[in-house]
Amino acid sequence: MTLKLYAHPFSSYCQKAKTAFYEKGVAFEEVMLDGSEPVASEFAALWPIGRFPVLTDGDRLVFDTSPIIEYLDARYPDKPLIPADRDAAVEVRMWDRFFDNYVSYPQQRIVYGALGREARDDVRWQGALDTAYAILDKHLAGRDWAAGDAFSLADCAAAPALLYADWSHAIPKSFANVWAYRDRLLARPSYARALDEARPYRHYFPLGAPEGRD
Ligand SMILES: N[C@@H](CCC(=O)N[C@@H](CS)C(=O)NCC(=O)O)C(=O)O
């Protein structure tokens, strides 16, 4: 059965999911959500919440990126992105939540504010990102990856989160550990591929995609 990922290449959460597919070498069909029909209506019927990506595997539907990646690991156990050891898995899931809730969430508020989709409150969300950057810089001292020694679900979340967070509210140069980690993530072949597939859409970024920060 073909795995179908309803997605758009420029979406940070879609990049998170695609990084997991590329990391594990699992084939999938990317069903492009660019507003065109008939896919737009098909997706609205499939997942009326409207957030993406969404994965289908035959009749099975999986929404939200962390469960999508959990599903991939369950079905394709090679190159696991969540460790079998439950204690180690807590760390991975915790840092995955950190990137979604405390980096991507405020970053998305800044972008949605700029797009006029939500009330603009940049000072609040920039402050939230500053707090997250400081926590992360301390956490990353002496580490290559966010949790444990191997690239994991948490790093899939981190890569697009830190790409777009920096574009939305620059990561201070003094946070050398965050910068080194962001550079490692952007050089990881799985994420580099997802990022390359997003390049044609950079003009969508409402604050202007900065040169040389990718
Ligand atoms: N918690 C969701 C978040 C997904 C999400 O916010 N996706 C954005 C695209 S990056 C989206 O659907 N935006 C459209 C909307 O908010 O209507 C996940 O992990 O997949």
Side-chain angles (χ1 to χ4, degrees):
M1 195 62 72
T2 307
L3 293 175
K4 288 188 183 178
L5 189 73
Y6 289 79
H8 189 284
F10 197 62
S11 140
S12 59
Y13 283 100
C14 298
Q15 291 174 18
K16 172 181 166 183
K18 286 168 67 176
T19 299
F21 278 95
Y22 295 149
E23 195 65 41
K24 292 173 73 71
V26 174
F28 67 103
E29 178 191 338
E30 185 169 3
V31 183
M32 181 73 154
L33 292 175
D34 60 2
S36 60
E37 296 293 358
V39 173
S41 299
E42 181 187 320
F43 182 65
L46 190 68
W47 186 234
I49 297 270
R51 293 235 159 183
F52 47 89
V54 163
L55 178 71
T56 61
D57 184 8
D59 290 339
R60 183 80 182 262
L61 179 147
V62 188
F63 59 83
D64 277 24
T65 43
S66 304
I68 288 172
I69 295 171
E70 297 252 10
Y71 182 81
L72 280 188
D73 250 16
R75 287 283 185 278
Y76 305 90
D78 282 356
K79 302 188 187 164
L81 291 168
I82 299 144
D85 177 83
R86 293 190 66 175
D87 198 23
V90 169
E91 285 296 302
V92 165
R93 292 193 175 96
M94 186 173 77
W95 285 99
D96 170 63
R97 297 297 76 226
F98 179 86
F99 290 108
D100 279 13
N101 292 334
Y102 308 123
V103 180
S104 283
Y105 184 81
Q107 183 277 328
Q108 208 175 45
R109 304 284 74 70
I110 293 170
V111 165
Y112 284 9
L115 289 170
R117 287 184 53 173
E118 295 177 4
R120 204 162 179 166
D121 197 352
D122 287 358
V123 173
R124 174 181 176 193
W125 300 117
Q126 288 167 354
L129 283 177
D130 284 333
T131 301
Y133 295 157
I135 290 170
L136 195 56
D137 199 63
K138 276 197 186 132
H139 172 70
L140 288 169
R143 309 179 154 272
D144 281 345
W145 305 115
D149 294 333
F151 188 95
S152 74
L153 161 71
D155 303 299
C156 294
L162 290 176
L163 177 88
Y164 288 121
D166 176 58
W167 289 11
S168 304
H169 179 55
I171 301 168
K173 287 289 171 204
S174 57
F175 290 142
N177 295 327
V178 180
W179 272 104
Y181 177 54
R182 187 179 181 276
D183 289 347
R184 263 193 303 283
L185 291 167
L186 268 55
R188 184 88 177 176
S190 54
Y191 184 62
R193 181 171 170 189
L195 187 54
D196 278 345
E197 289 166 0
R199 285 185 200 281
Y201 306 99
R202 289 190 162 207
H203 58 282
Y204 287 5
F205 194 70
L207 305 165
E211 288 297 320
R213 297 233 295 274
D214 62 334

